[in-house]
Amino acid sequence: MSRLDITDTPIPGLKRVHSRRLEDSRGHLERVFCCDELSSAGWQGPVAQANVTLTHARGTVRGMHYQRPPDAEVKLVRCLRGVVWDVVVDLRPNSPTFLRWHAETMSGDNQLALLIPMGCAHGFQTLSDDVEMLYMHSARHAPASEGGISPSDPRLEIDWPLPITDMSPRDLSFPPLTPSFEGIVLP
């Protein structure tokens, strides 16, 4: 029996992953990752790395991050505690949704995750205080291959639900896209 409901979003390859919770008098069990179920939805490779972030203040933005080939990665992201507005930007030049974004509200209560394909940038804004996020990566973090774009890029027009109250110095340093930006070409 499948424990994950996987549905499409408007961005090709970006999937909503909803966990089916099994509950009884003791509490509940939720599957957050299943290689067999997720591989048919686009997961590639093993889980090379898993990370948890804690973001203290509502309105904080983390992102927009990506990794270029040869270290491009598929990510599964999920909110464990609190509420976020999670955003994915398609940076694949051959995609029909190139430079378009899609967002989902995820919380510790709604059992929703996003499976993010290679060639997309990812970020989120906290809609509550003390947000914990879980990231599963198909490739290890490779500083030489990392990249980012400004969350306030006028070309993307991301409509953040709250005023941005905090960002890391690294994320603030990400430039907007230039007119000559050609995207992330995947092998």
Side-chain angles (χ1 to χ4, degrees), residues 54-103:
L54 171 64
T55 306
H56 291 297
R58 179 178 183 263
T60 300
V61 169
R62 287 185 182 250
M64 302 294 297
H65 307 137
Y66 61 88
Q67 284 203 170
R68 292 179 291 279
D71 301 300
E73 63 184 353
V74 177
K75 285 196 268 193
L76 181 72
V77 296
R78 180 177 171 148
C79 183
L80 299 175
R81 178 171 47 135
V83 184
V84 300
W85 194 68
D86 205 85
V87 180
V88 175
V89 177
D90 191 345
L91 299 178
R92 301 166 295 178
N94 296 324
S95 172
T97 55
F98 178 58
L99 297 184
R100 293 199 353 228
W101 58 270
H102 177 77

Side-chain angles (χ1 to χ4, degrees), residues 4-167:
L4 302 175
D5 291 322
I6 301 169
T7 57
D8 293 327
T9 70
I11 293 180
L14 176 63
K15 307 288 185 180
R16 280 182 210 93
V17 180
H18 188 265
S19 297
R20 294 182 190 188
R21 187 176 274 181
L22 300 176
E23 297 186 65
D24 64 21
S25 62
R26 300 167 294 165
H28 69 265
L29 171 111
E30 269 178 68
R31 181 167 294 159
V32 296
F33 183 87
C34 176
C35 189
D36 290 342
E37 290 185 61
L38 291 172
S39 64
S40 64
W43 182 265
Q44 298 177 16
V47 174
Q49 194 168 300
N51 298 305
V52 173
T53 61
L54 171 64
T55 306
H56 291 297
R58 179 178 183 263
T60 300
V61 169
R62 287 185 182 250
M64 302 294 297
H65 307 137
Y66 61 88
Q67 284 203 170
R68 292 179 291 279
D71 301 300
E73 63 184 353
V74 177
K75 285 196 268 193
L76 181 72
V77 296
R78 180 177 171 148
C79 183
L80 299 175
R81 178 171 47 135
V83 184
V84 300
W85 194 68
D86 205 85
V87 180
V88 175
V89 177
D90 191 345
L91 299 178
R92 301 166 295 178
N94 296 324
S95 172
T97 55
F98 178 58
L99 297 184
R100 293 199 353 228
W101 58 270
H102 177 77
E104 295 279 342
T105 300
M106 297 191 302
S107 72
D109 295 325
N110 72 6
Q111 298 95 43
L112 182 64
L114 286 176
L115 182 64
I116 303 168
M118 292 179 189
C120 291
H122 170 257
F124 65 86
Q125 183 175 47
T126 56
L127 302 182
S128 67
D129 291 334
D130 297 321
V131 168
E132 279 188 295
M133 294 286 288
L134 170 68
Y135 297 72
M136 311 277 288
H137 304 263
S138 67
R140 64 174 175 60
H141 178 251
S145 297
E146 71 182 358
I149 52 178
S150 171
S152 301
D153 190 311
R155 191 166 167 192
L156 299 176
E157 297 180 332
I158 297 173
D159 189 18
W160 298 100
L162 300 174
I164 297 173
T165 58
D166 196 12
M167 288 176 57

